Amino acid sequence: MPNQPEQTKMRTGSRVVIDALEQAGVTVAFGYPGGAIMPLYDELLDTTIEHVLTRHEQGAIHAADGFARSTGRVGVCIATSGPGATNLVTGICTAQMDSSPVLCITGQVPSALIGTDGFQEADVLGVVTSITKQAYLVRSVDDLPRVMAEALFICKSGRPGPVLVDIPKDVLIAKTSKTCEPVTSLPGYHPAPKLKSSAVKNAHKILKESKQPVCIVGGGCRLSDATRLFREWCDNTHVPVITTLMGLGSTEPGYSGWLGMPGMHGLRRANRAIVDCDVIVAMGIRFDDRVTGKLAAFAPDARIIHVDIDEAELSKLIKVEAPIHADLSETLAAWNALLDEDPIEVFDAWQKQAMDVGDGLRPNDAHDADNIPPTTLLDEVLELIGPDAIVTTDVGQHQMWAAQRVRPSDPKKWVTSGGAGTMGYGLPSAMGAQMACPDQRVLAICGDGGFQMTMAELATVARCKLPLKILLMDNKYLGMVRQWQELFFENRYSAVDLSDNPDFAALARVYGLQAFTLDHVDEMSSTLSAWWNCEGPALLHAVCHLEENVFPMVPAGAGLGDMVESA
Amino acid sequence: MEILTFALHLHRMSILPKILMLCQRLGGEVTYVSAADGRANIVVAAPNEAAHRFAPQIRRLIDVLELTELHAVGLSDADAQTTQERLRHTA
Ligand SMILES: Cc1ncc(C[n+]2csc(CCOP(=O)(O)OP(=O)(O)O)c2C)c(N)n1
Ligand SMILES: [Mg+2]
C-alpha cells in the first residue's frame, strides 16, 4: 500500500549487534557459542560476516587481536556467558596491555537471573572492568544500538583498546525500534587531543641543540598509522632509531641508523645509545620496565621529548621536559613541515658512532650437530621469508631471539604480545592475521611450551585451510624461565622440564596439516624451503639445542649500561 | 604518603567503582568518598612516588567529565609547586 507511512522497523537485539558490526565494515568474527549467546549465533547465519569457530575462547580473542594488529581494523570475538566469557580474560588483558582494538561480545544469563547465581552466570563486567578500555552490561534492548555504536567508536579511537559488551539473552531476543548513527564523540572522552604547534617547535629546538639524540619509537607508530611520516622524519634528521618490541618495523628496513630493540634483551648498540645520548625523542612508547631497566640509570643525561596520544603516559615513569600530547601522525606531519622550513644539521657522524657499537649478538654456544642452534635457525628462516611476511610469535626465548633479528617492512607485519607477555598467543594471532590478510604470507614462531597452551587451534587452521606456517622451536624446556633459573637461581631448575613433549609433527599431521621435522643442521636449508614453499598450512618441528640463553641481557633491576653478553 | 583530594564530575555514576579500584591499584588508600547526582569527592592517601599518576589516569577514564585536584591551604612552597604542575582541568 504505497501511501501508508513506513512502519517503524523492529529489530531484535541480535540483529542490532549484527547490523552495527556490518555497518562498521566487520567481515570476520571469531568465537565459540553457548546457551546465552545462542540468539546471536542464530542471527549470524543471516549475515555477510564470516564466523570462525575456534577451539577455545582464548583462541578466538587472540585471533581477533592478530586480525586487529595486522590491519589496524577492529577485531571481533564472541563468547557465551560464564566460562565462555572468563576464557576471554587473558586475551582481553593481552589486548589492553598492547592497546589493540578488540571488541568482545559476550552473552549473559537472562536479566531475571542476573544476581541469582544462575547457571553459567558470572559478573563479567566486574571481572573485566580493570582490563578493558570500556565495558558495558546492556540492561535494555533500547540501549543496545547506542552501546554498539559507542563500543565500536571507543575501541578504535584515541589510544585503542579492548571493549566488551555483555548482553543478557533476553536482550538479544527482545525487539527495539531504536537506531543509532555511528558515534563520533562522547562526554568525558577526548580521543583526539589538539596538537599545540608550540610543543612541536619546542621539541624541534631541543633536537637542534642536541649533539647525540636518539629516537625510541613504539607501538604508537603502528596504531597511529604514522609509519610513512616517521620514515620521512628519519630521512630529515638521520637520528639513530631504537624500535621497542611493539615498534619493530617502523623504520625503513634499510635505514642506516636502526639500532634495534632496547631493554632487557635489547641490542648492545640500542642500550648503549640510551646511556650515551643527550636527547631522547620518544614516540608512542610507554617506558615499560623491560625497556628502561633501572629507572634511575635510564638515560641519565638526556632531555626527554615524549609524543603520546594518552596524556596519562606523559611523565608517568620518566620526567619529560617536552611533552607532546597528540596523535603521532599529526605531530610528525607538523614536525616534518617544520624540518622543511628550518632544516637541522643531520646526525650522520653520531649515527655512525652509535651503530659502530655493534649488536652484541653472538652465535649459539653449543655445537651439537644433531640438534638445531636456535638463532642460526631464526637467521635462516627470517632470510627465507623476507621482510614482507607477517610474523607472529609466542612468548619466551624464541620471541626475544626473533625480536632481536626480525626486520619487518611494516609494523603491521610483526604481531607479538609485549605488555602482557602471553604464552599461547602465537598460533591464534597468526590465524587472525591470515584471515585478515589472505594474500600475505604468515609465519607463527612458537615455543614448545606456549604452543601447547593453544594448540587445539590447529583444528581451526585445518578447517579454514589457512595457509600459515608454524615454526615450532622445541627446546624441551620452558626456556625463558629455565634461563632465569640457570642465571639467578643457581641452576635449580623447577617445573621447566618438557623433555616428554609429544611428537609435534605427528600431532600436526593428525590435525590435517603438513609437517616437517628438522633435527640436523645439514638438512636445514632443504627442510626450511620444503616447509615454507609447500601449499597450505604446515608445521616445522625444529628440535633445538636445549640450554641456549638469550643474550645480551640486562638483569632485572639493573641499568641498561649493565648488559651481560654471555653467561 | 601524600593526601590527594579530587572533585569529579561524572557522566555516569557507574564509573565510580572503576575509579576506586584504580586508586587502589596505584597504591593508594581511599579514605573518603562522597557521591551524588554525578558529582563525587574522593580523598586518597597516595604513595609519594606514585601520587602524580592518579589524576591523569582517572581523567582518562571514559565518563569522567571533569577532574579537579584540590589542595589544602598551607602547603609549603615546594609542595605547592609540584602539585601545581599536576593541576590541569579537563576541557
Ligand atoms: C600464560 C603465561 N604463563 C606463564 C608465563 C611465564 N613464562 C614466560 S616465558 C615462559 C617459557 C616459555 O616456554 P616456551 O614456550 O617453550 O618458549 P621458550 O622460552 O622455550 O622459547 C614462561 C613459562 C607467561 N609468559 N605466560
Ligand atoms: Mg621451550
Side-chain angles (χ1 to χ4, degrees):
Chain A
M1 281 177 273
N3 288 337
Q4 222 178 26
E6 203 188 318
Q7 278 204 333
T8 326
K9 200 174 147 210
M10 297 296 283
R11 297 180 298 163
T12 62
S14 295
R15 191 69 233 173
V16 168
V17 172
I18 299 293
D19 285 349
L21 296 178
E22 283 183 345
Q23 275 159 24
V26 172
T27 51
V28 182
F30 304 87
Y32 210 101
I37 196 74
M38 282 180 70
L40 183 64
Y41 269 86
D42 186 65
E43 199 67 43
L44 268 170
L45 292 172
D46 302 320
T47 70
T48 56
I49 298 170
E50 183 178 356
H51 179 269
V52 175
L53 173 68
T54 55
R55 295 304 184 270
H56 189 293
E57 288 84 354
Q58 184 181 357
I61 185 162
H62 289 333
D65 186 339
F67 184 101
R69 294 190 204 208
S70 57
T71 57
R73 286 155 56 196
V74 172
V76 177
C77 67
I78 305 173
T80 194
S81 66
T86 56
N87 271 350
L88 295 177
V89 167
T90 300
I92 296 174
C93 175
T94 306
Q96 169 85 345
M97 291 298 280
D98 292 340
S99 309
S100 187
V102 173
L103 176 63
C104 310
I105 312 277
T106 51
Q108 180 54 274
V109 298
S111 302
L113 283 180
I114 294 180
T116 67
D117 303 324
F119 175 65
Q120 293 194 327
E121 185 193 357
D123 172 15
V124 173
L125 196 69
V127 171
V128 304
T129 290
S130 64
I131 53 168
T132 45
K133 186 171 171 190
Q134 184 75 321
Y136 298 88
L137 169 60
V138 184
R139 293 288 188 161
S140 157
V141 70
D142 288 342
D143 293 338
L144 195 53
R146 174 186 55 79
V147 167
M148 285 302 297
E150 285 186 18
L152 283 155
F153 172 57
I154 292 169
C155 213
K156 186 67 187 57
S157 52
R159 179 178 183 172
V163 176
L164 183 139
V165 182
D166 196 30
I167 316 174
K169 189 173 188 179
D170 55 305
V171 173
L172 288 170
I173 295 166
K175 289 190 170 172
T176 180
S177 60
K178 291 269 192 305
T179 56
C180 187
E181 292 299 309
V183 168
T184 52
S185 74
L186 282 172
Y189 179 48
H190 309 285
K194 201 170 152 8
L195 175 67
K196 293 197 184 82
S197 62
S198 58
V200 182
K201 283 188 187 134
N202 186 32
H204 185 65
K205 181 169 161 286
I206 293 172
L207 185 62
K208 275 184 103 170
E209 289 163 5
S210 166
K211 301 267 180 300
Q212 304 196 155
V214 295
C215 171
I216 311 180
V217 64
C221 183
R222 170 173 52 80
L223 294 167
S224 160
D225 245 328
T227 307
R228 185 183 58 76
L229 290 163
F230 176 66
R231 291 174 179 182
E232 215 174 282
W233 183 88
C234 294
D235 288 342
N236 284 331
T237 61
H238 298 199
V239 168
V241 174
I242 292 167
T243 41
T244 69
L245 182 64
M246 291 291 105
L248 288 166
S250 301
T251 47
E252 200 84 57
Y255 184 56
S256 57
W258 181 66
L259 299 174
M261 184 174 73
M264 181 171 274
H265 290 297
L267 303 190
R268 184 205 288 146
R269 61 182 183 231
N271 286 342
R272 193 71 250 166
I274 291 175
V275 175
D276 291 343
C277 70
D278 61 2
V279 164
I280 286 182
V281 186
M283 298 192 185
I285 72 166
R286 56 182 182 78
F287 295 97
D288 184 271
D289 51 279
R290 288 292 196 261
V291 165
T292 60
K294 186 167 139 200
L295 275 176
F298 179 82
D301 303 319
R303 304 167 72 184
I304 299 189
I305 300 164
H306 186 187
V307 189
D308 208 287
I309 197 162
D310 181 357
E311 195 176 13
E313 290 300 344
L314 303 170
S315 291
K316 181 179 87 176
L317 289 154
I318 298 271
K319 180 91 183 121
V320 173
E321 176 180 339
I324 304 181
H325 176 210
D327 175 49
L328 184 56
S329 286
E330 209 187 324
T331 306
L332 284 166
W335 201 340
N336 285 333
L338 195 56
L339 282 159
D340 279 348
E341 248 172 58
D342 178 19
I344 57 165
E345 215 173 296
V346 293
F347 294 95
D348 282 335
W350 155 240
Q351 188 191 93
K352 182 168 182 314
Q353 184 190 328
M355 288 297 287
D356 283 348
V357 170
D359 57 22
L361 301 180
R362 47 187 203 115
N364 292 126
D365 276 338
H367 296 289
D368 171 0
D370 281 342
N371 284 334
I372 303 299
T375 59
T376 313
L377 172 67
L378 279 169
D379 285 337
E380 291 226 5
V381 167
L382 293 171
E383 174 75 29
L384 174 71
I385 69 170
D388 291 328
I390 297 174
V391 177
T392 76
T393 78
D394 221 276
V395 169
Q397 291 183 309
H398 62 282
Q399 175 195 32
M400 290 297 108
W401 282 319
Q404 289 172 335
R405 288 163 175 78
V406 72
R407 298 294 304 264
S409 62
D410 189 283
K412 290 196 177 92
K413 294 179 187 289
W414 170 249
V415 175
T416 194
S417 167
T422 302
M423 285 172 71
Y425 182 76
L427 175 61
S429 61
M431 293 178 348
Q434 187 73 84
M435 286 296 295
C437 311
D439 300 331
Q440 296 190 43
R441 300 296 310 268
V442 177
L443 167 67
I445 303 177
C446 301
D448 47 324
F451 180 73
Q452 293 187 74
M453 286 193 169
T454 49
M455 68 184 179
E457 299 308 336
L458 288 175
T460 315
V461 171
R463 174 179 295 184
C464 298
K465 298 191 174 58
L466 297 174
L468 57 86
K469 302 292 186 268
I470 302 161
L471 173 64
L472 178 54
M473 298 181 61
D474 180 8
N475 53 9
K476 304 202 185 316
Y477 274 115
L478 298 174
M480 186 55 94
V481 179
R482 184 208 57 73
Q483 171 169 348
W484 281 55
Q485 290 174 349
E486 178 191 323
L487 300 178
F488 309 118
F489 290 84
E490 296 163 0
N491 269 314
R492 286 158 57 85
Y493 289 179
S494 175
V496 291
D497 172 18
L498 297 178
S499 56
D500 48 2
N501 270 334
D503 176 346
F504 288 110
L507 185 93
R509 279 187 208 108
V510 170
Y511 274 105
L513 277 77
Q514 294 182 70
F516 301 78
T517 299
L518 175 62
D519 54 9
H520 206 279
V521 183
D522 295 345
E523 290 154 11
M524 184 127 71
S525 50
S526 58
T527 310
L528 288 181
S529 141
W531 158 74
W532 184 247
N533 294 318
C534 76
E535 289 251 328
L539 176 142
L540 178 76
H541 176 205
V543 183
C544 293
H545 290 167
L546 304 188
E547 296 179 274
E548 291 288 346
N549 289 333
V550 186
F551 288 114
M553 176 171 197
V554 177
L560 294 184
D562 300 322
M563 242 174 316
V564 180
E565 296 201 8
S566 61
Chain B
M1 281 291 172
E2 197 176 322
I3 304 299
L4 307 175
T5 305
F6 299 118
L8 296 143
H9 182 191
L10 307 175
H11 181 54
R12 274 181 277 246
M13 293 294 276
S14 55
I15 191 69
L16 199 53
K18 188 164 179 170
I19 296 171
L20 300 179
M21 276 158 63
L22 174 62
C23 289
Q24 203 168 23
R25 190 166 70 83
L26 293 175
E29 194 187 329
V30 177
T31 56
Y32 174 85
V33 183
S34 68
D37 298 335
R39 302 278 168 183
N41 293 310
I42 301 176
V43 180
V44 195
N48 289 333
E49 67 285 359
H52 66 285
R53 291 185 201 130
F54 282 68
Q57 294 209 24
I58 296 171
R59 192 181 282 117
R60 81 171 159 186
L61 298 179
I62 298 161
D63 288 336
V64 174
L65 298 177
E66 202 181 308
L67 177 148
T68 311
E69 194 175 338
L70 307 174
H71 299 283
V73 286
L75 285 179
S76 70
D77 279 356
D79 282 352
Q81 184 83 40
T82 52
T83 46
Q84 192 64 31
E85 282 175 18
R86 292 202 304 272
L87 186 67
R88 258 177 264 128
H89 297 262
T90 42

